[in-house]
Amino acid sequence: MYSTVFARRGLALVLAALAFGAKAQGPLTRDNGAPVGDNQNSQTAGPRGPALLQDVQLIQKLQRFDRERIPERVVHARGTGAHGEFVATADISRLTRAQVFAKGTRTPVFVRFSTVIHGQHSPETLRDPRGFATKFYTTEGNWDLVGNNLPVFFIRDAIKFPDMVHSLKPSPVTNIQDPNRVFDFFSHVPEATHMLTRVYSDLGTPASYRSMDGSSVHAYKFVNSAGEYRYVKFRWASKQGVKTLDAKQVAEVQSRDFNHLTRDLVDAIARKDYPQWDLYIQVLEPAQLASFDFDPLDATKIWPDLPETMVGTMILNRNPSNVFQETEQSAFAPANLVPGIEPSEDRLLQGRVFSYADTQLYRVGTNGLQLPINRPQAAVLNGNQDGAANFAITVSDVNYQPSRRFPMTEDATMKYSTLPLGGSTQQQRLQRTVNFRQAGEFYRGLDAGAKTNLIANLAGDLGQVKDSETRLIMLSHFYKADADYGSRLTQALKGDIALVRRAAESLVD
Ligand code: HEM
């Protein structure tokens, strides 16, 4: 299956290349396929005259160069990709009808790892969550699991995402990332305490992409063939082990190589040292949602103490042959789901289901899903049509449905699952917030060295915040999570512990 699929994709690539007249080697041509006579000297009016507009090779070469860039991703611009394969190893047909999880199924994948905040060629040493996005080319369509290395997120509602990103991006005035702006925002977001604690630990500076775990962060829904659903979280466990850099190591690595994450992955695959990850799931019955004192569909929370089941293994074994065509034009979207996997009601995920597909219509283009890296191995048949750069080969005049002349059939067994609802529409925060507890549990789980590094990393940025109220509020959040954590941070910042304690006492969890 694996080789057939890739043979098919490979053939498709060759056919696409031939269709555009591209050749691996041979005479140099213009884009219309005509041979080029001179690629070194422009056509000029005599030895001293101006260049001529009729030199179509010169004009076309400059025009194409002028248009080489597409917009970079609005977040996660810096990334590196690799091809591979996922093998399903457990029988979980009781939970999901998704074929990608039928035991023994081998599915080609493309993974893109990334940093989040800075631009396309920014240093990979910077503190950030890391993206871990996987596109599964399943027989039932593409499924994208667009996750991060850390298992939670800063916010729980998509409506906050653009503001959060604006505060984290470089200042529109200085073009420099500024902790004054970052913590001005986060001092209004107590639910960020858990994620901030993780990202300021050394997990925020991984040693390599190979030595990173991955997480869905959100709960999704697994739906079985009887239409029953359960909530599921996914975790990629690195078989290379989790390895991080401390601040001193970061400075040392950055001084000699700010591409260390990309270089490590590309080099490992080139020398056939293929990285692998096991995929684990946690499962909750719908009735269990009410039994937690926090909301289990809140993306700022993990599900502690819930057993994990291993469901498969992924290997990455092929570098892209062209970074732009594959890594940059790849379009991962939480909306790319397959029967048996659905979004949960997580408010952050609900926004993501819209946002990625939307940005990609702009970033990659209306027909971006026709590109070899994005197109599914499953046949695509619908009435969506036209748009810029459409290179599908459409043979029928039936671009509507239903039709007797060219039936495109619906399959009622593929309908979405149903969710019982009641009540009225609202604009209210979640009821069970519990903003600080899991941050404290994470802190207490760190060993002495990791705690010291976290305090130093966080104090380094918080110490740059000039506004004393912002600093006090941030310290109170960390104190509320854990008294030792907040006290040590306050000491590092030479703050007033009595004030911090009082501010923490007034916080509601
Ligand atoms: C409502 C919250 C969020 C919104 C609106 C959002 C939006 C976006 C957008 C617009 C992109 C660029 C996509 C592209 O140009 O192809 C992106 C990339 C990405 N996001 Fe988010 N994001 C959110 C939260 C998250 C969370 C919680 C995670 C992790 C679970 C995450 C992981 C990623 C990853 C891994 C990428 C890069 C995918 C790639 O490699 O192409 N994002 N996000």
Side-chain angles (χ1 to χ4, degrees):
M1 152 83 76
Y2 174 59
S3 54
T4 331
V5 168
F6 270 108
R8 217 186 298 157
R9 292 182 70 76
L11 180 65
L13 277 172
V14 172
L15 287 176
L18 288 176
F20 286 101
K23 296 164 192 145
Q25 59 179 38
L28 183 70
T29 72
R30 298 197 296 276
D31 284 351
N32 67 344
V36 173
D38 189 340
N39 195 37
Q40 314 305 321
N41 302 294
S42 311
Q43 192 182 22
T44 57
R48 294 193 308 110
L52 298 182
L53 196 56
Q54 68 178 20
D55 184 349
V56 290
Q57 168 61 2
L58 170 69
I59 300 298
Q60 183 176 75
K61 196 173 175 184
L62 293 179
Q63 282 175 323
R64 285 301 307 268
F65 177 73
D66 295 344
R67 289 164 177 77
E68 278 179 9
R69 299 290 174 270
I70 58 173
E72 67 175 30
R73 288 166 176 80
V74 64
V75 282
H76 293 260
R78 174 81 210 246
T80 189
H83 297 270
E85 184 189 42
F86 173 76
V87 185
T89 53
D91 179 2
I92 52 168
S93 51
R94 183 184 74 84
L95 300 174
T96 178
R97 64 183 172 199
Q99 279 307 304
V100 60
F101 287 116
K103 191 174 172 185
T105 302
R106 307 173 90 84
T107 303
V109 296
F110 182 70
V111 171
R112 185 174 178 275
F113 299 108
S114 50
T115 61
V116 181
I117 293 302
H118 293 278
Q120 207 183 347
H121 300 290
S122 54
E124 292 182 314
T125 39
L126 300 175
R127 177 171 310 286
D128 234 347
R130 307 295 149 141
F132 190 140
T134 310
K135 189 179 284 296
F136 298 77
Y137 302 92
T138 92
T139 51
E140 300 173 303
N142 288 351
W143 173 44
D144 295 350
L145 182 56
V146 196
N148 278 346
N149 65 330
L150 305 176
V152 291
F153 204 62
F154 301 97
I155 50 173
R156 53 167 75 103
D157 191 317
I159 203 164
K160 286 180 188 277
F161 188 78
D163 295 298
M164 185 194 83
V165 171
H166 290 172
S167 81
L168 284 161
K169 287 266 187 191
S171 152
V173 174
T174 63
N175 202 25
I176 297 172
Q177 192 182 39
D178 183 354
N180 287 287
R181 304 176 66 252
V182 172
F183 290 108
D184 183 27
F185 176 78
F186 280 123
S187 61
H188 297 87
V189 188
E191 64 268 33
T193 311
H194 186 187
M195 179 65 164
L196 286 171
T197 303
R198 287 182 185 259
V199 89
Y200 272 96
S201 78
D202 288 343
L203 289 169
T205 48
S208 70
Y209 283 138
R210 291 183 299 141
S211 58
M212 233 174 50
D213 282 354
S215 173
S216 62
V217 177
H218 311 280
Y220 286 79
K221 275 173 171 162
F222 261 172
V223 185
N224 65 18
S225 43
E228 298 157 344
Y229 68 83
R230 288 160 182 97
Y231 294 93
V232 58
K233 282 202 186 211
F234 300 91
R235 181 172 76 90
W236 291 113
S238 166
K239 292 181 98 166
Q240 294 66 240
V242 172
K243 298 183 194 98
T244 58
L245 301 178
D246 63 27
K248 227 171 109 199
Q249 290 168 316
V250 168
E252 195 277 318
V253 168
Q254 182 161 325
S255 68
R256 59 183 162 77
D257 184 8
F258 66 84
N259 307 296
H260 68 298
L261 299 180
T262 294
R263 194 184 309 280
D264 174 84
L265 186 70
V266 170
D267 287 355
I269 293 175
R271 67 171 183 268
K272 299 190 168 30
D273 179 9
Y274 302 135
Q276 294 189 41
W277 285 261
D278 289 330
L279 185 63
Y280 286 85
I281 57 168
Q282 287 180 305
V283 180
L284 271 186
E285 296 289 336
Q288 285 177 281
L289 290 188
S291 66
F292 290 75
D293 63 354
F294 62 87
D295 191 323
L297 302 185
D298 172 353
T300 70
K301 300 293 186 298
I302 56 168
W303 293 349
D305 310 325
L306 219 69
E308 287 189 320
T309 308
M310 188 184 137
V311 294
T313 301
M314 174 171 76
I315 186 168
L316 296 181
N317 54 16
R318 185 161 61 88
N319 281 318
S321 40
N322 184 283
V323 170
F324 180 81
Q325 287 160 6
E326 295 162 60
T327 309
E328 285 320 297
Q329 293 200 119
S330 61
F332 297 86
N336 288 335
L337 295 159
V338 291
I341 308 172
E342 295 182 13
S344 72
E345 296 75 63
D346 177 329
R347 295 177 187 184
L348 196 71
L349 176 59
Q350 293 279 318
R352 294 182 72 207
V353 166
F354 164 75
S355 184
Y356 291 63
D358 179 58
T359 197
Q360 288 152 5
L361 287 172
Y362 160 70
R363 181 175 72 80
V364 193
T366 311
N367 289 298
L369 296 190
Q370 290 178 6
L371 292 170
I373 193 64
N374 294 325
R375 75 168 160 245
Q377 54 161 313
V380 175
L381 190 61
N382 58 42
N384 299 340
Q385 65 171 16
D386 302 350
N390 187 325
F391 62 98
I393 298 165
T394 307
V395 287
S396 168
D397 67 349
V398 179
N399 52 1
Y400 50 86
Q401 196 269 351
S403 156
R404 248 176 301 280
R405 294 176 51 224
F406 185 78
M408 295 185 264
T409 49
E410 295 149 61
D411 179 347
T413 67
M414 298 294 172
K415 279 191 184 188
Y416 302 131
S417 66
T418 55
L419 176 71
L421 289 174
S424 49
T425 60
Q426 58 156 47
Q427 289 179 294
Q428 299 289 335
R429 58 165 215 190
L430 288 183
Q431 279 167 359
R432 293 169 289 165
T433 52
V434 192
N435 288 327
F436 306 104
R437 186 203 301 151
Q438 291 194 358
E441 286 168 355
F442 175 77
Y443 174 79
R444 289 188 290 280
L446 296 176
D447 64 28
K451 279 182 184 157
T452 303
N453 290 355
L454 163 63
I455 305 286
N457 296 338
L458 193 43
D461 277 2
L462 261 184
Q464 295 177 49
V465 174
K466 294 190 189 92
D467 182 64
S468 56
E469 190 182 352
T470 303
R471 261 202 328 262
L472 176 65
I473 295 171
M474 289 310 306
L475 288 171
S476 72
H477 290 176
F478 297 117
Y479 187 94
K480 180 84 176 173
D482 182 275
D484 176 65
Y485 180 23
S487 304
R488 288 181 65 181
L489 266 176
T490 306
Q491 203 178 4
L493 263 61
K494 300 189 177 34
D496 181 338
I497 191 66
L499 275 182
V500 171
R501 203 174 293 134
R502 209 171 317 134
E505 276 162 14
S506 68
L507 293 169
V508 189
D509 202 6

